[in-house]
Amino acid sequence: MKTFAIFAIALSALMTTTTKKTIAADKVQIKYEVSFSEPQAHYADIEMTISGLAQPHVDLKMPVWTPGSYLVREFEKNLEGFGASALGKPLPFLKTRKNIWRVTTQGVNTIKVKYRMYCFEISVRTAFIDVTHAFLSTSGMFLYPDGMLQHPSTIHITPYKGWNKVSTSLEMVGNDPFTRTAPNYDILFDSPIEVGNQDVFGFTAAGVNYEVAMYGGGNYDKERLKKDMAHVVELETAIYGENPNKHYTFIVHNYLKGGGGLEHLSSTVLGASRNNYNTDAGYEGFLSLVAHEHFHLWNVKRLRPIALGPFDYDKENYTTDLWIAEGFTAYYDNLIVHRTKLYSTENYLGVLAADINVVENTPGAKIQPLSQASFDAWIKAYRPDENTANTAISYYNKGSIAALLLDLEIIKDSKMKYCLDDVMRYMYKQYYKTLKRGYTDKEFKEGLEKFAGKNLDEFYAKYVNGLDKIDYDKYLGYAGYKLIDENASANVPTLGIKGVNTLNSVKVTGVLRGTSAWIDGINVNDEITTIDGKIVNDVKTMLDGKNVGDHILVSVLRDGRPLDLTVTLLRNADIKAKIVSVDSPSAEQLAVRKKWLSL
């Protein structure tokens, strides 16, 4: 939400520029018509009508990114066929920037703008259309008039033949499911729309009506999902003390292989594998995804870093706190599933250990601090390349570990009175409900310290802004656990590459910092053909019979030319973490454990 100060400054600037324009803007009405003349070619046809104009020109803008996905995606690249008219006559226009079309409106008060959007990128954050359905990721679909982000709009959808349903969190106009309204553009751009013949079912939880829209089929059990998804909703609502929605929509895209999710204010879009619902791992993984994205309706959509709203849709919006917004959410998603009793404690500890493995086995964890990983999301997190593992760390995985450590610290220091739940509830009420704004780095740290009852400068210096090795045993020890490395006694050689098998070679796709391949010059895109004269075509067995310390001759094709490299094999230093109980945990440790794991 906007703060009063920000709103006042923006209003003052607008009035100073042109009072006449501001007065006219109050009378502006904006309507969209969306149709699908060529869904087989992945197009949406959009007609935008703007009435009540009283200015010489209007700038129409396309957002370049979508909130929740921190990458400038240049949605305007998919727009074609732009044209504007008034009273049936063409209006002059000029494209002034990559995402801005300036339409001359001198002497007219109503204009029609037509354009087409090409929609053929399958993800939870981008639009996709074919003859079976249309997924409209609204931030990448709808132009908006510059200076009018606070204006309401109406969207009418003319479905393709045979399509009969619309699923979105946008409110209906009257009882027409194909006509929706948004009170402002922040809401419109935060409300994706699914159109087609999706399987729709619902449930009520925490006093809120939930709709689940399933596209793509699948072996899901509706009744089981209703029960377990409702349980997740109730548990998460209990953390914050209220559920701020009247209704909420899950849009689920089921593919042969699918994954990922993107949060919105009153909805989410999930990607899933259609045939995985009937396995324990598949079902628990889906429920964890549900828990993650639904938890965001508080953490990030309402309780948010101060940089994340009001949004600038033209450029990056930087924050060092994605480790809280995403990392804490990644911690809670599995913790919530554990609280439903679907995860056993042993399984939950295994999930935590898997996060530890990711962090400890990623060389970039020694290069990039957690706060910097958040800030650099725009250039690193969504643009991974062959060297990303060596230079960066995920604010999801390491942020989740940071949340784990802080949760245990708060429980122990408060003598089991508080936990991280209390911090999240307090911050939500203090900043979203009372102050009606986002928090700063300093303010969230103060919130943590309020419940830990102590200064957390050292924690931040080591684990948020620094690169210290994490003392897992210290924090797990509060709950009577310890970390063991099941690979500690292994003496297995590794080249330190990532690769894909081909018919006659292994093609190198990544080289990890500090490994044999890194030191002795194996490069990404090298095709390893033989090792000591033996043909290689399987990355898993290429070192069979070799030992740590061996000097081997690796023959590669580099840009089609043969090259021989002498490589000294080093030990595989990757850990395999396992969290186990200490012998004879104390009464205090057991009490911390009980509070932490809701035993």
Side-chain angles (χ1 to χ4, degrees), residues 19 129-130 171 304-305 314 388 523-524 529:
T19 302
I129 296 170
D130 66 11
E171 300 290 347
R304 57 175 176 76
D314 288 334
T388 294
N523 289 182
V524 169
T529 56

Side-chain angles (χ1 to χ4, degrees), residues 204-366:
T204 300
V208 177
N209 292 324
Y210 281 78
E211 175 183 315
V212 183
M214 289 282 197
Y215 164 79
N219 57 7
Y220 52 87
D221 179 334
K222 293 183 191 179
E223 295 308 313
R224 186 184 185 194
L225 282 175
K226 289 179 187 179
K227 174 177 172 291
D228 290 339
M229 291 173 74
H231 198 179
V232 166
V233 169
E234 297 282 1
L235 287 168
E236 292 184 345
T237 302
I239 292 172
Y240 289 95
E242 69 169 16
N243 191 317
N245 286 302
K246 294 180 181 178
H247 54 82
Y248 187 96
T249 303
F250 288 98
I251 298 173
V252 186
H253 293 152
N254 292 301
Y255 299 107
L256 182 62
K257 292 183 179 179
L262 186 63
E263 70 275 3
H264 298 281
L265 194 68
S266 301
S267 63
T268 187
V269 184
L270 309 178
S273 298
R274 65 171 64 96
N275 296 319
N276 279 3
Y277 290 96
N278 63 352
T279 67
D280 289 343
Y283 186 75
E284 290 169 3
F286 177 75
L287 209 62
S288 177
L289 180 61
V290 167
H292 183 101
E293 301 305 337
H294 187 265
F295 194 84
H296 272 314
L297 79 84
W298 296 277
N299 190 31
V300 89
K301 298 312 300 183
R302 292 171 175 84
L303 170 62
R304 57 175 176 76
I306 200 163
L308 297 184
F311 295 117
D312 185 335
Y313 294 103
D314 288 334
K315 61 183 180 181
E316 300 88 344
N317 293 228
Y318 293 100
T319 175
T320 56
D321 289 330
L322 292 181
W323 67 278
I324 299 168
E326 290 290 356
F328 278 32
T329 303
Y331 171 64
Y332 269 104
D333 56 24
N334 288 306
L335 184 61
I336 290 295
V337 176
H338 174 60
R339 288 178 182 176
T340 68
K341 308 304 181 185
L342 278 174
Y343 280 167
S344 67
T345 295
E346 183 179 5
N347 286 348
Y348 176 63
L349 296 178
V351 170
L352 293 178
D355 261 346
I356 292 171
N357 287 338
V358 170
V359 172
E360 295 302 315
N361 296 333
T362 300
K366 300 178 178 66

Side-chain angles (χ1 to χ4, degrees), residues 13-32:
L14 186 60
M15 291 180 69
T16 301
T17 303
T18 166
T19 302
K20 186 175 181 180
K21 180 178 178 180
T22 304
I23 294 171
D26 291 339
K27 300 178 181 178
V28 169
Q29 292 187 338
I30 304 167
K31 298 178 181 180
Y32 298 90

Side-chain angles (χ1 to χ4, degrees), residues 15-199:
M15 291 180 69
T16 301
T17 303
T18 166
T19 302
K20 186 175 181 180
K21 180 178 178 180
T22 304
I23 294 171
D26 291 339
K27 300 178 181 178
V28 169
Q29 292 187 338
I30 304 167
K31 298 178 181 180
Y32 298 90
E33 298 279 343
V34 183
S35 58
F36 309 94
S37 61
E38 294 185 298
Q40 83 288 349
H42 319 295
Y43 278 95
D45 306 291
I46 300 177
E47 180 178 287
M48 179 184 190
T49 302
I50 312 174
S51 60
L53 295 172
Q55 61 242 48
H57 68 262
V58 61
D59 286 344
L60 301 179
K61 306 175 75 172
M62 176 68 75
V64 302
W65 70 289
T66 187
S69 183
Y70 307 102
L71 176 67
V72 173
R73 295 185 182 275
E74 314 288 22
F75 295 123
E76 67 278 1
K77 70 182 183 292
N78 296 318
L79 188 150
E80 63 182 68
F82 182 95
S85 64
L87 300 174
K89 297 180 179 180
L91 290 175
F93 69 88
L94 178 67
K95 192 171 184 181
T96 60
R97 275 177 47 180
K98 64 181 181 180
N99 67 322
I100 300 177
W101 289 257
R102 175 166 289 182
V103 179
T104 299
T105 56
Q106 186 73 47
V108 299
N109 62 15
T110 299
I111 67 171
K112 289 186 181 294
V113 174
K114 294 183 179 182
Y115 60 96
R116 308 184 82 202
M117 294 300 299
Y118 180 68
C119 306
F120 193 59
E121 184 177 352
I122 294 177
S123 81
V124 296
R125 64 192 71 87
T126 48
F128 180 87
I129 296 170
D130 66 11
V131 293
T132 66
H133 79 130
F135 172 61
L136 309 182
S137 183
T138 45
S139 57
M141 296 292 295
F142 294 109
L143 295 170
Y144 70 94
D146 188 26
M148 301 186 195
L149 281 172
Q150 292 306 308
H151 265 62
S153 60
T154 301
I155 304 93
H156 177 73
I157 297 168
T158 301
Y160 184 62
K161 60 183 180 183
W163 295 355
N164 56 29
K165 294 175 185 173
V166 172
S167 296
T168 181
S169 59
L170 292 173
E171 300 290 347
M172 283 191 287
V173 175
N175 293 316
D176 181 4
F178 291 95
T179 304
R180 304 287 177 142
T181 185
N184 56 58
Y185 278 95
D186 286 329
I187 298 295
L188 177 58
F189 294 153
D190 209 16
S191 305
I193 303 170
E194 177 73 18
V195 189
N197 299 308
Q198 58 271 22
D199 182 17

